[in-house]
Amino acid sequence: MKPNSVSIKLKTFLFLFCIFSFFVCKKTSSDTGPESNLPNTTKRPNVIWIVIDSLRGDIIGRYGVTPNLELFAENAVTFKYHLVNAAWTRPSTLVFFTGKYASANPVNFWDYPTTKSEVDAFYRSEKRPLPKLLKDHSFVTYMVGNNPFLTDKFGLGVDVGFDQLYDYSNYSEDTKKITKKTFEVLNEISSHDKPFFLFLNYNDPHKPYTPPQGFTNRIQTNEVLDERKMNYLGEVAFVDEELGKVFAELKNKNLWENTIVLITADHGEVMHAAHAISPFTGTNTYYGHGQDLFLENIHVPLLIKLPGSHLKQSIQTMTRSIDLFPTVLDYVGLPIPNSIQGKSLKPLIENKETTKRTYYGETRFTQGYGEGHEFLLQRSYRFHELGKFWLGSVGSEFYLYSDTKKDPNQENPLRISNIATIQDMKLQPDLEKKILRFWKQIRSMEPKLPLYHLSIQPESKDTEILIRVPSGTIRMASYPSDLHLEEKEKLVQIQTKRKDPFEISFEVYPDVSFPEFSVSFSKKQIPKSEIFTGYFGVSLASCQSNCDLLYESGSKRPVIHPNAKVYFWKEGGQKKSYSSKQELGTDALEILKKQGYVQ
């Protein structure tokens, strides 16, 4: 071998060795940094989510009863116009933990019992509520508080997947017990290497308002207060003092800096005499909640302390409780599922927001939509169940429009009796267009009702169709213009002399009862054995009870046999079964009495 050749190969070897050594050294040096020996999960911030039940959005900093919350706000982002998307505890809490509107999950938001079918459906459809999702990413998850709707033990709620759940809804004088247990949990947490998620839920100042002695003396205001508001504010002062202890303990345990602390409420409280009797439910809701979507029911505080940050910031634009789930995921560095209906607040905090958020909300007998300070609220039967709150009849569904810049307390909303005749009100053209647009937004935001379809091939010039429902009402969706219809809510009678095949489509509103129908040609009723149904065209006579699945066609139109005189199918999923007459047990009633839900 020539000496020159050996020299070249040696140089090449040394060059490659140097490159290899460089990358090995670089990798080694990066792996020996301050966090190199820690598991990857410790780099995620912890999360503490605090709910102060029934705390209105206009209380903090106004009456002298929130010194600890005001001190907290000095190092936090304060959202001045934060609205919850549901107006009482259970649906609002499920909005927190699913990131979806109340109607997007199977648990009802009008009555207290949760039926077994609802609970089972929730577990099937909501595989990863926030506590479970965080647990899947190595968080240890705890709930400490008073919220009976976060357990399925009493027939009041569902289990959303906390590792440890300490519920004090069955205890008297729960507030101090909650703080004590929180200290115990923080002591346990401080010894963990894993990140943690702690949901801390104080029931005060939820009614009945029974503050400990001396706390009402802390109120500082020139406002003339009645006894109920004084006691309400006394309870706010009590919870504020307890939160001050929690904040101090977090700092003592060195858990403050690497923790997101989010403070909010699940709903507000009605204190304006104009809303004492809900126009939507007719219920006395003075010093209560859950019966409408007026601002005092849905405007609540939101304060967020970011990890490793002492940022003080005030945000005036509208935010919604549906945004909190994706915000938590965004700040702990986890992907936001596509099914989430809210939007992370991080772009807003970082001044990168490009579009304004709009509001959609649901509660008993009420749906609402808002943009900025303008709202359209609808009296609605859309999500009803048979039971204490509804006996099956559908009445007037009016609308209330308000501009809270002109009418801050929503004392004099514009009432629209029928959206179809709004032009008869002779409103300003711009206002009429806006109300119609808001109405369309409500319709687009709500889940769609299933559609029922009947395909008819007449064999005479005298066809009659009768459709009945035991509860709710029938709403025709589409049909040929030459049919003669008589609509009587629960009954629709259709007559025609046409011999050409035709189809009709209709909804059952609300979707809590299944339609019965008959088809007659020349007064002769078509037997069930000659009526075909569903995607597979099974005879209607083949099923006697619980036949929902038989009628389903999914999103696909069935292939209709050319010889089928009558074909029936359903598009849009099974109806919700809410007809259970489930009674609450003694334990559940006692819990609700202690919390002021029932008298």
Side-chain angles (χ1 to χ4, degrees):
M1 185 179 292
K2 295 180 181 179
N4 197 33
S5 174
V6 172
S7 175
I8 292 171
K9 288 185 176 181
L10 181 61
K11 289 179 180 178
T12 302
F13 171 78
L14 290 172
F15 175 75
L16 292 173
F17 178 80
C18 289
I19 292 175
F20 174 77
S21 299
F22 172 80
F23 282 107
V24 168
C25 291
K26 185 175 182 181
K27 184 178 188 303
T28 303
S29 65
S30 66
D31 285 350
T32 56
E35 295 180 325
S36 61
N37 296 320
L38 298 176
N40 186 50
T41 53
T42 59
K43 297 176 183 177
R44 298 194 192 280
N46 309 305
V47 180
I48 298 180
W49 185 325
I50 301 171
V51 168
I52 307 168
D53 201 313
S54 306
L55 184 60
R56 289 168 53 110
D58 61 354
I59 300 297
I60 295 176
R62 185 175 170 191
Y63 293 96
V65 292
T66 55
N68 289 297
L69 286 169
E70 290 166 51
L71 188 61
F72 177 90
E74 290 296 313
N75 296 289
V77 183
T78 301
F79 297 83
K80 295 291 191 179
Y81 191 38
H82 183 68
L83 310 180
V84 290
N85 298 96
W88 64 282
T89 302
R90 186 172 68 212
S92 194
T93 304
L94 290 181
V95 169
F96 291 160
F97 290 152
T98 65
K100 301 174 186 175
Y101 296 112
S103 61
N105 75 66
V107 180
N108 80 78
F109 52 87
W110 42 84
D111 206 354
Y112 298 120
T114 47
T115 64
K116 186 177 185 305
S117 63
E118 289 174 33
V119 175
D120 290 345
F122 180 84
Y123 294 148
R124 286 194 304 271
S125 63
E126 292 297 331
K127 301 294 185 185
R128 301 175 87 198
L130 184 61
K132 282 188 178 180
L133 192 155
L134 292 174
K135 182 179 177 180
D136 289 347
H137 288 86
S138 300
F139 279 76
V140 184
T141 63
Y142 297 84
M143 181 273 185
V144 181
N146 181 334
N147 190 330
F149 305 116
L150 285 178
T151 173
D152 56 14
K153 291 180 181 178
F154 304 109
L156 292 173
V158 291
D159 181 349
V160 294
F162 286 100
D163 289 314
Q164 300 291 333
L165 188 145
Y166 304 99
D167 176 45
Y168 289 85
S169 58
N170 213 8
Y171 291 79
S172 300
E173 300 179 357
D174 55 290
T175 300
K176 283 189 173 294
K177 291 182 175 70
I178 291 168
T179 303
K180 182 181 177 183
K181 176 53 72 173
T182 300
F183 277 32
E184 294 174 10
V185 167
L186 292 177
N187 189 55
E188 181 181 330
I189 283 171
S190 63
S191 64
H192 288 167
D193 290 331
K194 292 182 177 181
F196 67 84
F197 171 53
L198 169 60
F199 183 68
L200 177 55
N201 196 156
Y202 284 101
N203 188 52
D204 289 335
H206 193 289
K207 68 178 184 180
Y209 314 129
T210 54
Q213 189 173 0
F215 281 92
T216 56
N217 296 334
R218 302 184 183 188
I219 301 170
Q220 301 169 21
T221 182
N222 294 323
E223 184 181 326
V224 178
L225 303 175
D226 65 24
E227 185 179 6
R228 280 178 292 187
K229 188 160 186 179
M230 287 185 66
N231 287 333
Y232 171 89
L233 292 173
E235 286 202 349
V236 174
F238 181 33
V239 172
D240 182 84
E241 181 169 284
E242 295 301 296
L243 282 174
K245 299 173 186 176
V246 173
F247 298 154
E249 188 67 5
L250 281 166
K251 293 170 183 175
N252 290 339
K253 299 290 185 185
N254 294 318
L255 297 172
W256 186 258
E257 285 301 319
N258 192 41
T259 299
I260 302 165
V261 182
L262 185 157
I263 302 174
T264 190
D266 50 352
H267 52 75
E269 197 82 331
V270 173
M271 295 183 181
H272 199 287
H275 307 147
I277 304 297
S278 167
F280 302 98
T281 66
T283 302
N284 186 338
T285 189
Y286 202 35
Y287 286 95
H289 50 268
Q291 307 293 331
D292 61 57
L293 294 169
F294 290 122
L295 269 186
E296 59 177 349
N297 236 328
I298 62 173
H299 179 210
V300 301
L302 176 62
L303 302 94
I304 301 178
K305 183 200 79 68
L306 300 175
S309 170
H310 298 276
L311 172 70
K312 180 183 180 181
Q313 186 177 352
S314 180
I315 292 177
Q316 305 291 330
T317 190
M318 178 197 289
T319 58
R320 304 83 48 95
S321 61
I322 203 164
D323 299 328
L324 301 182
F325 184 120
T327 301
V328 169
L329 294 186
D330 212 353
Y331 275 104
V332 300
L334 294 176
I336 299 168
N338 292 332
S339 60
I340 299 304
Q341 293 175 304
K343 291 168 52 183
S344 170
L345 298 173
K346 193 173 182 181
L348 192 58
I349 294 170
E350 296 178 350
N351 200 28
K352 296 177 181 177
E353 187 91 318
T354 56
T355 58
K356 289 189 177 180
R357 299 166 195 241
T358 60
Y359 176 81
Y360 172 70
E362 301 157 330
T363 195
R364 297 182 180 107
F365 273 94
T366 319
Q367 291 174 265
Y369 176 80
E371 293 180 5
H373 293 269
E374 297 177 87
F375 293 87
L376 184 68
L377 305 183
Q378 176 190 356
R379 186 175 194 257
S380 170
Y381 293 83
R382 176 64 175 79
F383 304 108
H384 277 33
E385 71 154 323
L386 295 169
K388 182 173 70 172
F389 290 101
W390 187 58
L391 299 178
S393 62
V394 174
S396 168
E397 292 186 320
F398 58 83
Y399 299 80
L400 299 179
Y401 164 83
S402 58
D403 182 341
T404 59
K405 280 191 174 179
K406 299 175 182 176
D407 182 13
N409 294 317
Q410 296 173 291
E411 297 176 73
N412 301 295
L414 173 68
R415 183 183 175 106
I416 300 112
S417 298
N418 189 332
I419 206 76
T421 59
I422 190 173
Q423 65 274 7
D424 297 336
M425 297 179 67
K426 303 189 184 324
L427 303 174
Q428 290 291 329
D430 288 348
L431 179 57
E432 181 181 315
K433 287 180 182 178
K434 184 178 294 181
I435 290 171
L436 286 172
R437 182 166 58 79
F438 281 22
W439 171 75
K440 289 177 181 176
Q441 287 296 323
I442 293 175
R443 299 285 76 78
S444 68
M445 298 293 283
E446 67 186 12
K448 298 295 179 284
L449 286 169
L451 268 179
Y452 298 92
H453 305 276
L454 266 172
S455 174
I456 309 292
Q457 295 197 45
E459 53 179 32
S460 73
K461 285 189 176 181
D462 185 9
T463 299
E464 183 177 64
I465 303 168
L466 292 176
I467 308 170
R468 301 180 184 84
V469 287
S471 303
T473 186
I474 298 167
R475 291 183 170 179
M476 299 302 297
S478 63
Y479 55 90
S481 59
D482 59 349
L483 301 190
H484 176 70
L485 270 69
E486 288 188 25
E487 299 179 69
K488 299 176 182 178
E489 293 190 352
K490 292 181 173 63
L491 172 67
V492 173
Q493 184 174 12
I494 302 171
Q495 293 178 326
T496 181
K497 295 189 178 298
R498 66 182 293 163
K499 291 197 69 176
D500 297 330
F502 64 92
E503 289 184 9
I504 63 170
S505 302
F506 61 93
E507 300 172 340
V508 178
Y509 178 86
D511 185 38
V512 294
S513 60
F514 203 82
E516 302 167 356
F517 66 91
S518 64
V519 179
S520 299
F521 298 146
S522 298
K523 306 296 184 183
K524 182 181 178 181
Q525 186 171 323
I526 304 301
K528 288 185 176 181
S529 59
E530 297 181 29
I531 298 176
F532 298 93
T533 185
Y535 184 73
F536 296 103
V538 180
S539 166
L540 193 61
S542 64
C543 184
Q544 301 301 319
S545 63
N546 299 322
C547 302
D548 279 11
L549 287 173
L550 179 69
Y551 308 129
E552 294 291 333
S553 70
S555 59
K556 295 182 180 179
R557 177 185 174 86
V559 177
I560 299 175
H561 193 278
N563 295 328
K565 298 173 185 175
V566 180
Y567 204 108
F568 173 70
W569 72 99
K570 182 184 180 186
E571 174 191 348
Q574 297 182 58
K575 72 176 175 62
K576 293 184 177 181
S577 177
Y578 295 133
S579 57
S580 169
K581 302 299 181 184
Q582 176 178 335
E583 296 293 331
L584 288 172
T586 303
D587 287 347
L589 282 170
E590 285 301 312
I591 289 170
L592 293 176
K593 285 178 182 177
K594 284 177 182 175
Q595 296 193 318
Y597 281 108
V598 296
Q599 305 302 318

Coordinates of all heavy atoms in Angstrom, one line a residue, residues 57-94:
G57 N -70.3 37.4 39.2 CA -69.1 38.1 38.6 C -68.9 39.5 39.1 O -67.8 40.1 38.7
D58 N -69.8 40.1 39.9 CA -69.6 41.5 40.3 C -69.3 41.6 41.8 O -69.5 42.7 42.4 CB -70.9 42.3 40.0 CG -72.1 41.7 40.7 OD1 -72.0 40.7 41.4 OD2 -73.2 42.3 40.6
I59 N -68.7 40.6 42.4 CA -68.5 40.6 43.9 C -67.1 40.9 44.2 O -66.8 41.7 45.1 CB -68.9 39.2 44.5 CG1 -70.4 38.9 44.2 CG2 -68.6 39.2 46.0 CD1 -71.4 39.9 44.9
I60 N -66.1 40.3 43.6 CA -64.7 40.4 43.9 C -64.3 41.9 43.8 O -64.5 42.5 42.8 CB -63.8 39.6 43.1 CG1 -64.1 38.1 43.3 CG2 -62.3 39.8 43.4 CD1 -63.3 37.1 42.4
G61 N -63.7 42.4 44.9 CA -63.2 43.8 44.9 C -64.2 44.9 45.1 O -63.9 46.0 45.1
R62 N -65.5 44.5 45.4 CA -66.5 45.5 45.5 C -67.1 45.7 46.9 O -67.6 46.8 47.2 CB -67.7 45.0 44.6 CG -68.8 46.0 44.4 CD -69.8 45.6 43.4 NE -71.0 46.4 43.4 CZ -72.1 46.1 42.8 NH1 -72.2 45.0 42.1 NH2 -73.2 46.9 42.9
Y63 N -67.1 44.7 47.7 CA -67.7 44.8 49.1 C -66.7 44.6 50.2 O -67.2 44.5 51.4 CB -68.8 43.7 49.1 CG -70.0 43.9 48.2 CD1 -70.0 43.3 47.0 CD2 -71.0 44.8 48.5 CE1 -71.1 43.5 46.1 CE2 -72.1 45.1 47.7 CZ -72.1 44.4 46.5 OH -73.1 44.6 45.6
G64 N -65.5 44.5 50.0 CA -64.5 44.4 51.0 C -64.4 43.0 51.6 O -63.8 42.8 52.7
V65 N -65.0 42.0 51.0 CA -65.1 40.6 51.6 C -64.1 39.7 50.8 O -64.1 38.5 51.2 CB -66.5 40.1 51.5 CG1 -67.4 40.9 52.5 CG2 -67.1 40.1 50.1
T66 N -63.3 40.2 49.9 CA -62.5 39.3 49.1 C -61.0 39.7 49.1 O -60.4 39.7 48.0 CB -63.0 39.2 47.7 OG1 -63.1 40.5 47.1 CG2 -64.3 38.5 47.6
P67 N -60.4 40.0 50.3 CA -59.0 40.5 50.2 C -58.0 39.5 49.7 O -57.1 39.9 49.0 CB -58.7 40.8 51.7 CG -59.7 40.0 52.5 CD -61.0 40.0 51.6
N68 N -58.2 38.2 50.0 CA -57.3 37.2 49.5 C -57.4 37.0 48.0 O -56.4 36.8 47.3 CB -57.5 35.9 50.2 CG -57.0 36.0 51.7 OD1 -55.9 36.2 51.9 ND2 -58.0 35.9 52.6
L69 N -58.7 37.0 47.4 CA -58.9 36.9 46.0 C -58.3 38.1 45.3 O -57.7 38.0 44.2 CB -60.3 36.7 45.7 CG -60.9 35.3 46.0 CD1 -62.4 35.4 45.9 CD2 -60.3 34.3 45.1
E70 N -58.4 39.3 45.9 CA -57.9 40.5 45.3 C -56.3 40.5 45.3 O -55.7 40.9 44.3 CB -58.4 41.7 46.1 CG -59.8 42.0 45.9 CD -60.4 43.0 46.9 OE1 -59.8 44.1 47.1 OE2 -61.4 42.7 47.5
L71 N -55.7 39.9 46.4 CA -54.3 39.8 46.4 C -53.8 38.8 45.4 O -52.8 39.0 44.7 CB -53.9 39.3 47.8 CG -52.3 39.3 48.1 CD1 -51.7 40.7 47.9 CD2 -52.1 38.8 49.5
F72 N -54.6 37.7 45.2 CA -54.3 36.7 44.2 C -54.3 37.3 42.8 O -53.4 37.0 42.0 CB -55.4 35.6 44.3 CG -55.2 34.5 43.2 CD1 -54.5 33.4 43.5 CD2 -55.8 34.6 42.0 CE1 -54.3 32.4 42.5 CE2 -55.7 33.6 41.0 CZ -54.9 32.5 41.3
A73 N -55.3 38.2 42.6 CA -55.4 38.8 41.2 C -54.2 39.7 40.9 O -54.0 40.0 39.7 CB -56.7 39.6 41.2
E74 N -53.4 40.1 41.9 CA -52.2 40.9 41.6 C -51.2 40.2 40.8 O -50.3 40.8 40.2 CB -51.6 41.4 43.0 CG -52.5 42.4 43.7 CD -52.6 43.7 42.9 OE1 -51.6 44.3 42.4 OE2 -53.8 44.2 42.8
N75 N -51.3 38.9 40.8 CA -50.3 38.1 40.1 C -51.0 37.1 39.2 O -50.6 35.9 39.0 CB -49.4 37.3 41.0 CG -48.5 38.2 41.9 OD1 -47.6 38.9 41.4 ND2 -48.8 38.3 43.2
A76 N -52.1 37.5 38.6 CA -52.9 36.6 37.8 C -53.6 37.4 36.6 O -53.6 38.6 36.6 CB -54.0 36.0 38.7
V77 N -54.1 36.6 35.7 CA -54.9 37.1 34.6 C -56.4 37.1 35.1 O -56.9 36.1 35.5 CB -54.8 36.3 33.4 CG1 -55.5 37.0 32.2 CG2 -53.3 36.1 33.0
T78 N -57.0 38.3 35.0 CA -58.4 38.4 35.5 C -59.3 38.6 34.2 O -59.0 39.5 33.4 CB -58.6 39.6 36.4 OG1 -57.7 39.4 37.6 CG2 -60.0 39.8 36.9
F79 N -60.3 37.8 34.1 CA -61.2 37.9 33.0 C -62.5 38.5 33.5 O -63.2 38.0 34.3 CB -61.5 36.5 32.4 CG -60.3 35.8 31.8 CD1 -59.4 35.1 32.7 CD2 -60.0 35.8 30.5 CE1 -58.2 34.5 32.2 CE2 -58.8 35.2 30.0 CZ -58.0 34.6 30.8
K80 N -62.7 39.7 33.0 CA -63.8 40.5 33.5 C -65.2 40.2 33.0 O -66.2 40.5 33.6 CB -63.5 42.0 33.2 CG -62.3 42.6 33.9 CD -62.5 42.7 35.4 CE -61.4 43.5 36.0 NZ -61.6 43.7 37.5
Y81 N -65.2 39.5 31.9 CA -66.5 39.2 31.2 C -66.6 37.7 30.9 O -66.6 37.3 29.7 CB -66.6 40.1 30.0 CG -68.0 40.1 29.3 CD1 -69.2 40.1 30.1 CD2 -68.2 40.1 28.0 CE1 -70.4 40.1 29.5 CE2 -69.4 40.2 27.4 CZ -70.5 40.2 28.2 OH -71.8 40.2 27.6
H82 N -66.5 36.9 31.9 CA -66.5 35.4 31.8 C -67.9 34.9 32.0 O -68.5 35.2 33.1 CB -65.5 34.8 32.7 CG -65.4 33.3 32.6 ND1 -64.8 32.8 31.5 CD2 -65.7 32.3 33.4 CE1 -64.8 31.5 31.6 NE2 -65.4 31.2 32.7
L83 N -68.4 34.1 31.1 CA -69.8 33.6 31.2 C -69.8 32.0 31.2 O -69.0 31.4 30.4 CB -70.6 34.0 30.0 CG -70.5 35.5 29.6 CD1 -71.4 35.8 28.4 CD2 -71.0 36.4 30.8
V84 N -70.6 31.5 32.1 CA -70.7 30.0 32.1 C -71.8 29.6 31.1 O -72.8 30.4 30.8 CB -71.1 29.5 33.5 CG1 -69.9 29.6 34.4 CG2 -72.4 30.2 34.1
N85 N -71.7 28.4 30.5 CA -72.6 27.9 29.5 C -73.7 27.1 30.0 O -74.6 26.7 29.2 CB -71.8 27.1 28.4 CG -70.7 27.9 27.8 OD1 -69.5 27.9 28.2 ND2 -71.0 28.6 26.7
A86 N -73.8 27.0 31.3 CA -75.0 26.4 31.9 C -75.2 27.1 33.3 O -74.2 27.6 33.8 CB -74.8 24.9 32.1
A87 N -76.4 27.1 33.8 CA -76.7 27.9 35.0 C -77.0 27.2 36.3 O -77.5 27.8 37.2 CB -77.9 28.8 34.6
W88 N -76.7 25.9 36.4 CA -76.6 25.3 37.7 C -75.5 24.3 37.7 O -74.9 24.0 36.7 CB -78.0 24.8 38.1 CG -78.6 23.7 37.3 CD1 -79.3 23.8 36.1 CD2 -78.7 22.3 37.7 NE1 -79.8 22.6 35.8 CE2 -79.5 21.6 36.7 CE3 -78.3 21.6 38.8 CZ2 -79.7 20.3 36.8 CZ3 -78.6 20.2 38.9 CH2 -79.3 19.6 37.9
T89 N -75.3 23.7 38.9 CA -74.0 23.0 39.2 C -73.7 21.8 38.3 O -72.6 21.8 37.7 CB -73.9 22.6 40.7 OG1 -74.1 23.8 41.5 CG2 -72.6 22.0 41.0
R90 N -74.6 20.9 38.2 CA -74.3 19.6 37.5 C -73.9 19.9 36.0 O -72.8 19.5 35.6 CB -75.4 18.6 37.6 CG -75.0 17.3 36.9 CD -75.9 16.2 37.2 NE -77.2 16.4 36.5 CZ -78.4 16.0 37.0 NH1 -78.4 15.4 38.1 NH2 -79.5 16.2 36.3
P91 N -74.8 20.6 35.2 CA -74.4 20.8 33.8 C -73.2 21.7 33.7 O -72.4 21.4 32.8 CB -75.7 21.4 33.2 CG -76.4 22.0 34.3 CD -76.2 21.1 35.5
S92 N -73.1 22.6 34.6 CA -71.9 23.5 34.5 C -70.6 22.8 34.8 O -69.6 23.0 34.1 CB -72.1 24.7 35.5 OG -71.1 25.7 35.2
T93 N -70.6 21.9 35.8 CA -69.4 21.1 36.1 C -69.1 20.2 34.9 O -67.9 19.9 34.6 CB -69.7 20.3 37.4 OG1 -70.0 21.2 38.4 CG2 -68.4 19.6 37.8
L94 N -70.1 19.6 34.3 CA -69.8 18.7 33.2 C -69.3 19.5 31.9 O -68.5 18.9 31.2 CB -71.1 17.9 32.8 CG -71.4 16.8 33.8 CD1 -72.7 16.1 33.4 CD2 -70.3 15.9 34.1

